[in-house]
Amino acid sequence: MRRIFVDKIKSKIVLDGDDAHHIGYALRARVGDSVTVADASGDVATMRVSSFTRDTVTLELVARDDGAAHTESPIIITLAMCLPKSDKMDMIVQKATELGVTQIQPLESENCVVKYDEKKRKAKREKWQKIAEEAAKQCARTKIPRVNEIMLFSDFIKRVRSESSTNVALCYESEKTLTIKDWLREKSPNDGERYTVIVGAEGGFTSSEAAEAEAIGIASVTLGPRILRCETAAIAAVSIVQYEKGDL
């Protein structure tokens, strides 16, 4: 069923802008067609298209969902991804959204080749947020993952480590002993349900970055004996967390 996101579910909703275009043109909906609507609080409802104008689509409430349509992961996952080259981040955001992450934190690390000025940072973040929204619609999420503003690696690890309820791991290609699977299996419910995986760009992390993370208590984990491309590593890390602790 077609799905859109709104601020608040009401008995009647008038859509305009991109949402109206999406329903009326991209999805070619007609009067009487049903639409699944999810709002900022995670509530879900079935609504029916009642009328169109050139620029708007009006929906009327049919029934609020009883919980069956809620598709969010039982755990909270942050993918902290160092900026890769080209348009790889577009695909990473899309696939991470499909896998159920709660938020995506773009990072600048020592091995990042791309460097953005303030204007480019804003444009990139808006683009990635839009990709997350479209992916959330496609895979029937009830919430859209948040794409945060780009941060420096050092600033981010200090901030996330201060959040005592978050389990944090650095996916480090030079780690040979602790696998991400074993790290996750060491975690008990008392450790909380928030997980952050930090993935490097091309070239991974420098030894100094790994040492900085280790010094503040962030575990370095391996994703296996083979060197993965950064986009593969991101998808693999999130998938493993979801398999071990989530709903895959």
Side-chain angles (χ1 to χ4, degrees), residues 21 114 130 135 141 158 170 199 203 206 245:
H21 185 273
V114 294
K130 185 67 175 176
R141 294 273 308 256
K158 292 170 186 172
L170 181 81
V199 179
T206 64
K245 298 293 183 178

Side-chain angles (χ1 to χ4, degrees), residues 119-131:
K119 182 178 179 180
K120 192 74 169 180
R121 282 170 176 254
K122 183 175 183 295
K124 284 289 187 180
R125 183 185 177 222
E126 290 175 352
K127 179 185 180 184
W128 296 329
Q129 188 65 68
K130 185 67 175 176
I131 289 170

Side-chain angles (χ1 to χ4, degrees), residues 17 42 58 62 90 103-104 168 171 237-238 248:
T58 300
V62 175
D90 295 4
Q103 62 178 335
I104 298 160
V168 190
C171 299
V238 172
L248 284 186

Side-chain angles (χ1 to χ4, degrees), residues 115-243:
K115 302 293 181 184
Y116 299 133
D117 58 25
E118 286 303 314
K119 182 178 179 180
K120 192 74 169 180
R121 282 170 176 254
K122 183 175 183 295
K124 284 289 187 180
R125 183 185 177 222
E126 290 175 352
K127 179 185 180 184
W128 296 329
Q129 188 65 68
K130 185 67 175 176
I131 289 170
E133 180 178 347
E134 293 302 319
K137 291 176 181 176
Q138 181 274 323
C139 67
R141 294 273 308 256
T142 55
K143 293 184 179 179
I144 304 169
R146 175 178 171 81
V147 181
N148 296 324
E149 294 180 0
I150 298 169
M151 290 185 67
L152 293 175
F153 170 83
S154 294
D155 292 339
F156 174 73
I157 62 171
K158 292 170 186 172
R159 189 190 75 183
V160 75
R161 197 66 191 93
S162 68
E163 300 170 358
S164 58
S165 62
T166 301
N167 304 289
V168 190
L170 181 81
C171 299
Y172 185 40
E173 63 275 10
S174 294
E175 171 61 38
K176 303 302 181 185
T177 304
L178 181 62
T179 67
I180 188 171
K181 178 177 67 176
D182 289 341
W183 173 74
L184 287 164
R185 291 181 178 179
E186 291 172 357
K187 302 298 177 184
S188 71
N190 292 333
D191 293 314
E193 297 181 333
R194 301 171 66 93
Y195 293 88
T196 295
V197 287
I198 310 172
V199 179
E202 296 85 356
F205 294 104
T206 64
S207 57
S208 62
E209 287 174 326
E212 182 183 5
E214 182 181 6
I216 59 174
I218 293 177
S220 288
V221 299
T222 176
L223 294 174
R226 293 164 293 281
I227 299 297
L228 304 180
R229 292 180 181 271
C230 61
E231 62 271 31
T232 309
I235 295 167
V238 172
S239 298
I240 294 167
V241 175
Q242 280 285 47
Y243 178 78

Side-chain angles (χ1 to χ4, degrees), residues 73-90:
S73 175
I75 57 174
I76 298 170
I77 306 175
T78 296
L79 170 62
M81 184 71 212
C82 298
L83 297 172
K85 294 184 290 187
S86 184
D87 58 355
K88 294 176 184 177
M89 192 68 168
D90 295 4

Side-chain angles (χ1 to χ4, degrees), residues 85-109:
K85 294 184 290 187
S86 184
D87 58 355
K88 294 176 184 177
M89 192 68 168
D90 295 4
M91 187 268 284
I92 292 168
V93 169
Q94 182 189 66
K95 300 310 176 188
T97 299
E98 292 176 19
L99 288 166
V101 301
T102 307
Q103 62 178 335
I104 298 160
Q105 176 60 66
L107 299 177
E108 284 186 0
S109 61

